[in-house]
Amino acid sequence: MTKKQLEISAQDINHFEKPAHGTRLVKAPEHFLSQDLVSDINTHGLDESRRGFMRKGFMTALGGATAGLAAPFAMASTEGDPAILEKQEWQTTLGKNVATMPYGLPSVYEANLIRRESPGLTRVSAASVAFTPLQGLFGTITPNGLHFERHHQGWYNLNPETHRLMVNGLVKNPRVFTMSDLMRLPSVSRTHFIECGANTGLEWGNVAVPTVQYTHGMLSCCEFTGVPLSALLEECGADLKKGKYMLAEGGDGSGMTRTINLESALKDTIVAWGMNGEMLRPENGFPLRLVVPGVQGVSWVKWLRRLEVGDMPWNSKDEAIHYIDLMPSGLHRQFTSIQECKSVITTPSGGQQLLDKGFYNVTGMAWSGRGKIKRVDVSFDGGNNWRTARLETPILMKSVTRFNIDWVWDGSPAILQSRAIDDTGYVQPPIKMLRDVRGTRSIYHNNAIQSWKLDSNGEVSNVQVG
Ligand SMILES: Nc1nc2c(c(=O)[nH]1)N[C@H]1C(S)=C(S)[C@@H](COP(=O)(O)O)O[C@H]1N2
Ligand SMILES: [Mo]
């Protein structure tokens, strides 16, 4: 299947530069205009005014990147290397004082490892999405500054002093909590992934989004701290015989309201203020957000201001007209909550280039909204043969698991794929199998196997196979 390639801009190609694991940027793929765009992240299609600019910017950047090719650093001899033989400035001078950076920042050499908006996708007013650079991350935890962002109406700096959470509906004692009230309640800390239901959405339309940042970057994984929903509802005397659902309402202007299934939410949902050991970042819902493990990101309501217990689903706008799946029958599938088992190879991935034949540590991430990852298989020949990868421990519920596998590249073209299996026995499907059931007109909930094509010159690009 031939893929339509997505345009990318000068600014956007720099993100390939992270030379982790012996790879680096060489050149971006040829580009055509994309036609199928994800309405969740772009309600009005391509922005005509940006096209010309992007093409121009892209050519300039491409020139620069190709010039860089002339000196392949991996092949360079280290004999007489001044980087090791000569005393460096930092060995002979005084370093910076402790107080010069009261809140630590990444090295200036990591400046390209940032959240990015997808090339070719229009920002509709403040409604926007910025993707996590999965290609440059290690392990399982997303650093707070790189957590993906998805706002339906922009983000705010809410004042925790005046922020309130109301609990009402089928509860004996309706209450309004301050942040201090909440933070006195028993708390838990749990590591979970959050994935937007539209993650990997462009792949439904067979659009060759160039990098893993844009194919899978609406995924993050953090340790969240807060009060278990079950404890909070108990405190308010919720009627859990009649109350089967809960409405979660956000404090922003998007009117973000989602129906939460109480039976599963009572097991592990958290009303959270902490993320990776500090308070939530403003863009991720400071001071309070709902953490609904395994469930699509839209239900993780940010700037959480109200929880209402009820006996029926609400059919709010974000569950009646958005986040629904158009099936081949023409019917919409509604209330798809669980993010099914999924995985992706992050190195090598689209936009990177292997510098030479030989040994590589192929690595990636696997997750399942239903439980733990049991196994990840990796194929180097487009799915004909599979080998089982090593899983890093601990393997946690509804959390990201890191996998690694040794590989010796012989220099010939290859198709790299990963296939995750969770502890319910569910196996991540090939895209064709998913399309057979789901059709081609979905936007959301694509958990198909991702294929990366490796050319004999070492370039890696996004393809669809099987
Ligand atoms: N109040 C509110 N909550 C919200 C949203 C929003 O726009 N407003 N966006 C939702 C969507 S669609 C997703 S995918 C996640 C994104 O969370 P993040 O920005 O912390 O990554 O938040 C969800 N919660
Ligand atoms: Mo989302």
Side-chain angles (χ1 to χ4, degrees):
M1 207 180 272
T2 326
K3 298 208 71 178
K4 282 167 266 163
Q5 304 278 8
L6 199 69
E7 268 197 301
I8 65 174
S9 70
Q11 175 220 343
D12 285 311
I13 75 165
N14 293 331
H15 63 107
F16 303 140
E17 275 178 17
K18 174 84 180 167
H21 320 289
T23 67
R24 68 166 173 162
L25 162 71
V26 163
K27 84 180 176 59
E30 279 178 38
H31 47 289
F32 303 96
L33 296 181
S34 67
Q35 284 140 30
D36 306 290
L37 294 173
V38 177
S39 76
D40 174 58
I41 45 185
N42 174 18
T43 47
H44 299 306
L46 277 169
D47 177 349
E48 293 291 334
S49 67
R50 284 185 69 203
R51 284 182 177 170
F53 163 75
M54 286 198 296
R55 173 158 292 147
K56 217 167 113 216
F58 173 83
M59 296 313 289
T60 320
L62 189 61
T66 313
L69 253 181
F73 55 76
M75 309 293 280
S77 163
T78 51
E79 226 174 283
D81 186 349
I84 187 72
L85 290 179
E86 288 169 16
K87 273 215 189 298
Q88 307 293 313
E89 186 198 337
W90 41 93
Q91 294 177 283
T92 55
T93 54
L94 203 56
K96 286 192 174 70
N97 194 287
V98 279
T100 46
M101 210 194 289
Y103 193 99
L105 292 172
S107 158
V108 292
Y109 298 103
E110 293 293 302
N112 279 321
L113 195 72
I114 53 174
R115 295 188 283 223
R116 287 173 191 275
E117 291 180 85
S118 180
L121 293 177
T122 309
R123 194 186 315 166
V124 183
S125 67
S128 50
V129 52
F131 295 76
T132 293
L134 300 177
Q135 70 279 9
L137 298 186
F138 311 108
T140 57
I141 298 294
T142 311
N144 284 348
L146 294 177
H147 193 293
F148 83 94
E149 285 179 63
R150 171 73 180 106
H151 317 298
H152 292 242
Q153 185 138 317
W155 61 271
Y156 306 80
N157 246 316
L158 260 65
N159 182 347
E161 292 287 321
T162 54
H163 188 69
R164 300 288 181 267
L165 173 69
M166 176 164 139
V167 182
N168 69 324
L170 298 173
V171 295
K172 263 201 218 82
N173 321 306
R175 290 233 355 228
V176 173
F177 294 88
T178 63
M179 283 307 297
S180 336
D181 293 340
L182 290 170
M183 292 172 83
R184 285 174 62 180
L185 295 174
S187 70
V188 294
S189 295
R190 301 269 155 74
T191 302
H192 292 296
F193 75 82
I194 168 175
E195 182 182 23
C196 175
N199 202 23
T200 327
L202 285 167
E203 296 291 314
W204 282 119
N206 202 15
V207 174
V209 182
T211 70
V212 71
Q213 179 157 16
Y214 300 130
T215 56
H216 290 76
M218 283 195 278
L219 169 81
S220 295
C221 185
C222 296
E223 185 198 63
F224 293 97
T225 297
V227 53
L229 177 71
S230 55
L232 190 67
L233 291 187
E234 195 185 318
E235 171 81 7
C236 299
D239 180 349
L240 297 178
K241 285 225 172 67
K242 272 203 231 140
K244 295 289 169 217
Y245 300 95
M246 177 179 79
L247 184 78
E249 180 186 301
D252 55 332
S254 74
M256 177 55 67
T257 42
R258 290 286 299 182
T259 300
I260 309 290
N261 178 315
L262 270 185
E263 192 190 333
S264 52
L266 285 169
K267 292 185 193 136
D268 54 13
T269 290
I270 306 170
V271 175
W273 51 81
M275 181 160 102
N276 290 335
E278 60 183 2
M279 286 298 286
L280 288 160
R281 293 286 170 91
E283 60 273 33
N284 303 113
F286 176 90
L288 202 63
R289 93 174 299 168
L290 204 60
V291 166
V292 197
V295 172
Q296 60 175 322
V298 65
S299 294
W300 296 45
V301 174
K302 301 192 276 191
W303 313 291
L304 183 68
R305 70 183 298 274
R306 196 166 70 87
L307 295 172
E308 180 179 339
V309 178
D311 55 3
M312 283 199 302
W314 271 260
N315 279 297
S316 71
K317 71 169 165 54
D318 285 298
E319 45 208 23
I321 55 169
H322 301 136
Y323 299 95
I324 51 179
D325 300 302
L326 184 54
M327 305 295 278
S329 66
L331 293 177
H332 277 108
R333 189 174 75 171
Q334 207 186 350
F335 295 115
T336 309
S337 289
I338 306 296
Q339 294 297 103
E340 298 287 0
C341 186
K342 187 165 169 180
S343 70
V344 67
I345 295 172
T346 52
T347 298
S349 60
Q352 296 179 328
Q353 188 187 32
L354 299 190
L355 297 172
D356 197 6
K357 291 183 234 179
F359 180 85
Y360 284 92
N361 179 60
V362 173
T363 189
M365 302 156 94
W367 61 100
S368 166
R370 296 198 186 272
K372 293 183 182 179
I373 291 299
K374 193 171 79 186
R375 202 176 92 201
V376 177
D377 300 327
V378 174
S379 173
F380 297 95
D381 58 6
N384 292 322
N385 294 285
W386 297 89
R387 280 166 53 203
T388 298
R390 298 188 301 276
L391 302 184
E392 290 300 311
T393 54
I395 297 167
L396 302 170
M397 288 286 288
K398 305 176 184 177
S399 182
V400 164
T401 295
R402 169 68 56 174
F403 66 86
N404 293 291
I405 187 165
D406 300 342
W407 187 48
V408 177
W409 183 42
D410 64 7
S412 52
I415 303 272
L416 278 64
Q417 300 177 323
S418 65
R419 171 178 76 185
I421 302 166
D422 70 17
D423 61 359
T424 69
Y426 178 97
V427 183
Q428 185 185 2
I431 183 79
K432 184 176 179 309
M433 196 184 276
L434 200 62
R435 279 209 181 95
D436 285 348
V437 179
R438 298 271 307 279
T440 55
R441 290 178 295 166
S442 273
I443 289 165
Y444 306 104
H445 311 116
N446 180 353
N447 68 317
I449 289 172
Q450 171 70 41
S451 305
W452 301 120
K453 177 162 142 281
L454 171 62
D455 286 334
S456 50
N457 65 359
E459 286 179 35
V460 186
S461 58
N462 183 359
V463 290
Q464 276 185 6
V465 174

